Amino acid sequence: MTQHRKVLSIQAGQPTSDGAGVSLTRVFGGPGVEQFDPFLMLDEFGSDNPDEYIAGFPPHPHRGFETVTYMLEGRMRHEDHMGNVGLLQGGGVQWMTAARGIIHSEMPEQEEGVMRGFQLWLNLPGKTKLSDASYQDIQPENIPRLTTEAGVEVVVIAGRFDDGSVQQMGAVQRPDTEPQYFDFHMPAGSRISPRIPEGHRALLYVYEGTLEIAGQPQAVSASRLVRLSNEGQLQLNSAAGARVLLIAGKPLGEPIVQYGPFVMNTREEIEQALRDFRDDRLTA
């Protein structure tokens, strides 16, 4: 008998704002984030009202984790203290490893139209939290896409996609947390059975349509996050059509101490990060 991954929780995100007043939905993050290990936060942003995004994210610091920004629509310009300048546009990904420290800005490269996408925070293990920062822009044409036999389009951002019939390495591979990050575009009546390593944390975020999960009696509607058990197979169906993020990774099992844009293992390390930022040594 097939053992399916169990649904542990289904939750809606909370409206909030960040940066200089950008409206967004915090899908998860904050107290209790250990249950999402190795992930720390997922934000969804989407608006056609410039007043809700135009102020952007002026220069700000990070330490101890990675940020993954996936744009669906719109244009955002990245600049950082290392001299990197990049344009993030629809279908593209920005993967930034803050590690020891980075100071960067993310500002809209548009004054009208739709700005839509996601930002995921991925933790780093203690052994690499103080390593060198790095940054890469991945243009849409460099992100693998495939269509399964059932007609599901898969955007393979990170890790390796495998459904038993087709395999595809993603644009990014990361050690330690071994993240998988896929975007499924599911037509009405389609199904998909992505293989996820045993022991990996697995999350689903339905951002359009309705999703059915094998073993779960109730369909999952849009703007809902599903947290799954770490073992078993996963079978997804959508009678009406859906767009779904699948995010999975190997838990680090380390203490998580967060203070705003700094995520470390101990309170002492957070205090050191604050001193380093105050003394202009965060990125030294």
Side-chain angles (χ1 to χ4, degrees):
M1 184 175 179
T2 301
Q3 178 187 356
H4 294 290
R5 290 196 177 227
K6 298 177 181 177
V7 173
L8 301 180
S9 64
I10 300 175
Q11 67 185 58
Q14 299 299 315
T16 186
S17 66
D18 210 335
V22 177
S23 297
L24 52 83
T25 297
R26 182 137 298 156
V27 179
F28 70 85
V33 74
E34 290 81 6
Q35 64 187 320
F36 301 105
D37 179 19
F39 306 104
L40 300 164
M41 189 184 79
L42 177 64
D43 283 346
E44 178 181 18
F45 52 92
S47 178
D48 59 3
N49 178 1
D51 291 340
E52 295 185 347
Y53 64 73
I54 198 67
F57 301 87
H60 58 281
H62 292 294
R63 173 178 280 185
F65 60 99
E66 302 184 275
T67 68
V68 185
T69 307
Y70 173 36
M71 291 291 286
L72 299 179
E73 298 179 74
R75 301 184 308 280
M76 189 84 76
R77 179 167 296 276
H78 163 99
E79 297 185 15
D80 64 41
H81 79 278
M82 296 180 290
N84 295 309
V85 177
L87 180 62
L88 183 60
Q89 52 192 326
V93 170
Q94 174 201 96
W95 197 292
M96 188 182 77
T97 303
R100 174 174 175 78
I102 198 165
I103 297 175
H104 78 139
S105 63
E106 301 156 293
M107 301 300 293
E109 190 81 351
Q110 62 188 65
E111 296 181 356
E112 59 183 13
V114 177
M115 178 79 72
R116 187 183 187 202
F118 304 92
Q119 186 169 94
L120 175 71
W121 286 15
L122 172 62
N123 205 2
L124 286 170
K127 65 183 181 182
T128 61
K129 282 184 179 292
L130 296 181
S131 59
D132 292 336
S134 63
Y135 160 86
Q136 59 178 314
D137 264 327
I138 309 166
Q139 299 303 321
E141 61 271 20
N142 295 324
I143 298 177
R145 293 173 177 259
L146 60 90
T147 301
T148 69
E149 294 177 356
V152 178
E153 182 183 358
V154 183
V155 183
V156 190
I157 298 169
R160 185 184 74 161
F161 174 79
D162 180 2
D163 69 351
S165 63
V166 64
Q167 299 179 3
Q168 175 64 58
M169 298 301 289
V172 176
Q173 309 298 319
R174 301 297 294 140
D176 302 306
T177 53
E178 302 173 7
Q180 294 178 311
Y181 192 175
F182 311 137
D183 182 9
F184 299 146
H185 300 192
M186 302 182 67
S190 64
R191 66 187 183 280
I192 192 167
S193 299
R195 294 182 173 180
I196 304 171
E198 293 290 302
H200 275 45
R201 182 84 64 215
L203 308 170
L204 297 167
Y205 184 62
V206 183
Y207 66 96
E208 287 182 15
T210 305
L211 181 71
E212 294 85 48
I213 304 171
Q216 166 71 14
Q218 186 176 4
V220 182
S221 57
S223 301
R224 296 293 185 275
L225 177 81
V226 181
R227 182 169 59 93
L228 300 164
S229 62
N230 292 11
E231 294 82 27
Q233 298 182 26
L234 183 61
Q235 180 179 319
L236 309 177
N237 306 276
S238 183
R243 296 184 70 176
V244 183
L245 299 182
L246 187 155
I247 301 167
K250 183 179 180 181
L252 291 171
E254 298 180 356
I256 299 172
V257 182
Q258 180 175 356
Y259 184 85
F262 307 133
V263 182
M264 305 300 288
N265 296 124
T266 68
R267 182 67 192 179
E268 290 75 18
E269 290 171 330
I270 290 291
E271 292 171 353
Q272 183 63 56
L274 291 168
R275 286 193 296 270
D276 288 347
F277 181 56
R278 179 195 64 200
D279 298 340
D280 199 26
R281 290 188 291 112
L282 186 79
T283 60

